[in-house]
Amino acid sequence: MTASTSDIEKAADVLRAGGLVALPTETVYGLGANAEDPAAVARIFQAKGRPPSHPLIVHIASAELLDDWVQDVPATARLLAEHFWPGPLTLVLRRGSRVPLEATGGLETVAVRVPDHPVALELLSTFGGGVTAPSANRFGSVSPTTADHVRAELGDAVDFVLDGGSCAVGVESTIMDATGDTPTILRPGGVTREGLEALLGPLAAPSTSRVRVPGQHPSHYAPRARVVLVEPEQVVAEAELAQELGHQVGVLVPASVAHAPVKAHAVVAVSASMTDYAHKLYGVLRELDQQGCDLIVASLPPEEGMGLAIANRLRRAAGPRPTV
């Protein structure tokens, strides 16, 4: 925890005054506003260039406060909150009266979570309310995992930046539709499907829910460089071909072919640990942009554990664009 008590008190004052505060969480840095202030919430959309129809996540200080922000909470949702909060799990529930429609994209549901970061929790406690906080970056681009990432991307659009160090998880929270008795994963993230199923048993497929949530845009979490996804055994050849065609290529080399030499502008060896890979993913994508890459070649990891969240982010980063 690097932010001082005075920093946290100042950040709380900024929120009370309708300002925007970038705050660290265990997942990524969020761009926070008073969840009950429609004008402040509107500033988030303006700063990010985010469509107002895209709902935000409301961060609260503890699971005990859940009923202050939502209504009609199923027993299964309470079980999830008790087991995984604080932590990288977001629950979509029916909106309570304290949450303005500006924060939900006009929906009668709201996404809520308790972050697992000492700075965020201290801020929420000091502020004494809920904080809407999508990732602190321009809409659709790579999420920030350090305070410097926020400053570089949003600059003066943020009134105050709380520095809480590097985010431990590195990818966004898992989002679950918890409005009914059978929860559904809407976005994989920091809590794995396996962890959820260990508590709840088998989960429904994501396609069974039409709830609108963050991170569902066809192109999201994307660097400036175009991302191309290929099979692991094709990464080296695809990267070298693109380099020969005149691209400045960054390549994410999976552990299965890490022994192979690669001719490319920038080469990053991907960790065999999916937890470590997730922690570093967004920082690596930003670094490849900074090195001048215009194309990034990568493969999807095994879609289990944290690999499922990484695969989701890489697919969104690649977006609906053609390959080389």
Side-chain angles (χ1 to χ4, degrees):
M1 179 170 169
T2 55
S4 66
T5 299
S6 61
D7 286 339
I8 291 171
E9 290 173 348
K10 181 176 179 179
D13 287 340
V14 170
L15 290 172
R16 294 185 190 107
L20 300 184
V21 172
L23 65 149
T25 76
E26 79 280 24
T27 57
V28 300
Y29 273 72
L31 181 61
N34 180 354
E36 296 179 84
D37 184 343
V41 171
R43 286 193 61 200
I44 291 178
F45 291 96
Q46 181 179 12
K48 285 177 60 71
R50 181 186 180 101
S53 60
H54 284 241
L56 307 177
I57 296 174
V58 176
H59 295 67
I60 59 177
S62 71
E64 287 71 25
L65 300 174
L66 184 60
D67 289 303
D68 292 348
W69 298 93
V70 302
Q71 57 183 325
D72 303 328
V73 183
T76 305
R78 294 195 189 278
L79 178 64
L80 286 164
E82 177 183 341
H83 193 83
F84 290 105
W85 285 357
L89 177 68
T90 295
L91 300 178
V92 176
L93 293 160
R94 304 205 180 280
R95 179 180 70 93
S97 60
R98 293 180 68 175
V99 183
L101 288 171
E102 286 82 355
T104 68
L107 301 175
E108 288 299 331
T109 54
V110 61
V112 185
R113 86 176 184 101
V114 179
D116 189 14
H117 193 291
V119 172
L121 290 172
E122 185 65 24
L123 173 61
L124 288 164
S125 178
T126 301
F127 173 57
V131 173
T132 50
S135 56
N137 55 278
R138 301 291 180 187
F139 179 70
S141 67
V142 179
S143 302
T145 53
T146 69
D148 285 343
H149 292 165
V150 178
R151 296 185 184 103
E153 183 152 350
L154 293 181
D156 293 340
V158 185
D159 298 307
F160 192 74
V161 178
L162 271 177
D163 191 340
S166 177
C167 298
V169 175
V171 295
E172 292 80 359
S173 62
T174 300
I175 299 179
M176 296 194 74
D177 176 4
T179 54
D181 293 328
T182 306
T184 303
I185 295 176
L186 303 178
R187 180 183 72 181
V191 172
T192 66
R193 183 185 186 98
E194 291 83 351
L196 292 164
E197 291 188 332
L199 179 68
L200 302 178
L203 295 171
S207 60
T208 62
S209 176
R210 296 181 181 178
V211 177
R212 200 164 70 240
V213 295
Q216 289 183 319
H217 194 267
S219 179
H220 215 78
Y221 317 114
R224 292 190 301 273
R226 185 160 63 95
V227 177
V228 173
L229 300 177
V230 298
E231 295 299 321
E233 63 274 12
Q234 298 173 336
V235 165
V236 172
E238 191 76 17
E240 292 185 344
L241 173 61
Q243 190 76 19
E244 291 173 3
L245 293 174
H247 289 285
Q248 295 286 89
V249 178
V251 55
L252 305 184
V253 181
S256 60
V257 295
H259 60 281
V262 189
K263 296 178 182 178
H265 181 67
V267 178
V268 177
V270 170
S271 175
S273 163
M274 292 298 100
T275 299
D276 185 53
Y277 189 2
H279 173 67
K280 295 176 180 177
L281 175 63
Y282 290 154
V284 166
L285 294 179
R286 285 177 175 273
E287 179 62 26
L288 292 177
D289 270 345
Q290 291 169 6
Q291 292 187 34
C293 295
D294 61 38
L295 189 145
I296 297 170
V297 177
S299 63
L300 298 177
E303 297 189 42
E304 56 190 28
M306 285 299 292
L308 179 61
I310 296 167
N312 171 269
R313 301 316 188 268
L314 287 173
R315 282 198 180 94
R316 296 291 184 178
R321 294 174 289 190
T323 58
V324 172

